[in-house]
Amino acid sequence: MAERRDSAPVIVLLAAGESRRFGGIKQLADIDGETMVHRAARTALATGVALIVVTGANAGQVGAALSDLPLHIVHHAGWADGMGSSLAAGIRYVVDRYPQATGALLCLADQPLLRTACYTRMLARHRQKPDRILATEQHGVAGPPTLFPQDCLTELMHWSGDRGARALLRRENDRVESFTWQGIIDVDSPDDLKLARSQLAANRLD
């Protein structure tokens, strides 16, 4: 397991969805010889911060794909209730197991092109301004990866249904700080997966 560091944020990787739009187990899709969920987890772990992965649909297979990595897996039986419910399950684990954590960095298993440098920059900013909400902006909309400070965790741990973190971002807009990363692709369909693979190959040639 990753080293326990209560005085730092914890990363929560959401990998609980059924991926109906994708037409298969999206978390296990191959990205450069590695499952997408493994790539996302490995990238997050490279920050040196403790990592929690929330599983739901296909939990056995997704968990098996992560068996070689030093992380905590939280199986959320209520995953079908929506992303808000899965998010809350991960935050409850943070509050229970890391009571002095300074925040939670929420990220998704279906953003395979994110690099560790993206997370480390957000974590560094959090150390400077621990009360800020740090969000990633895509097409003018703030979303994950998102780092919520400690005072937001009590609310997030009680979320349910399909509510994502954007509702809280809108309400707390005055203290949201946005980051923009090049080449972020959310893999929701087979075409998105093809695009991600193509972009990864192009980056390798640069």
Side-chain angles (χ1 to χ4, degrees):
M1 294 295 176
E3 180 183 356
R4 182 165 176 152
R5 297 173 60 194
D6 284 354
S7 61
V10 176
I11 298 178
V12 178
L13 177 66
L14 300 182
E18 190 178 16
S19 312
R20 278 178 289 183
R21 284 183 292 170
F22 186 76
I25 304 177
K26 178 169 62 175
Q27 298 93 325
L28 304 183
D30 181 84
I31 298 286
D32 200 26
E34 183 178 21
T35 64
M36 186 155 56
V37 70
H38 190 280
R39 181 183 179 88
R42 179 176 55 78
T43 299
L45 282 168
T47 63
V49 174
L51 173 63
I52 296 163
V53 179
V54 182
T55 64
N58 308 296
Q61 291 160 282
V62 174
L66 299 169
S67 61
D68 64 319
L69 297 176
L71 48 79
H72 304 272
I73 291 180
V74 175
H75 172 58
H76 179 46
W79 61 268
D81 292 337
M83 182 181 289
S85 178
S86 297
L87 183 158
I91 297 299
R92 285 194 294 271
Y93 189 92
V94 172
V95 172
D96 180 54
R97 292 292 298 273
Y98 296 84
Q100 302 304 317
T102 59
L105 174 53
L106 301 179
C107 50
L108 306 179
D110 63 359
Q111 294 181 326
L113 300 189
L114 276 172
R115 299 180 178 181
T116 300
C118 301
Y119 298 133
T120 55
R121 184 176 165 194
M122 296 179 83
L123 291 167
R125 184 58 175 165
H126 173 73
R127 288 193 294 271
Q128 295 173 341
K129 297 289 184 179
D131 61 329
R132 299 276 181 88
I133 298 174
L134 309 178
T136 298
E137 185 173 305
Q138 293 190 70
H139 311 296
V141 178
T146 307
L147 202 164
F148 288 100
Q150 188 180 51
D151 66 285
C152 292
L153 301 188
T154 299
E155 176 177 345
L156 291 171
M157 69 186 285
H158 294 295
W159 278 28
S160 61
D162 284 323
R163 286 192 300 172
R166 289 191 177 123
L168 182 54
L169 292 176
R170 287 193 293 270
R171 196 186 74 218
E172 298 288 340
N173 182 64
D174 289 346
R175 62 169 172 152
V176 173
E177 190 170 323
S178 296
F179 292 75
T180 302
W181 312 117
Q182 296 298 319
I184 289 183
I185 296 174
D186 294 344
V187 176
D188 293 320
S189 69
D191 285 341
D192 294 333
L193 179 61
K194 291 177 183 177
L195 181 61
R197 288 170 172 167
S198 175
Q199 186 63 53
L200 185 62
N203 291 344
R204 195 180 298 117
L205 293 174
D206 287 345

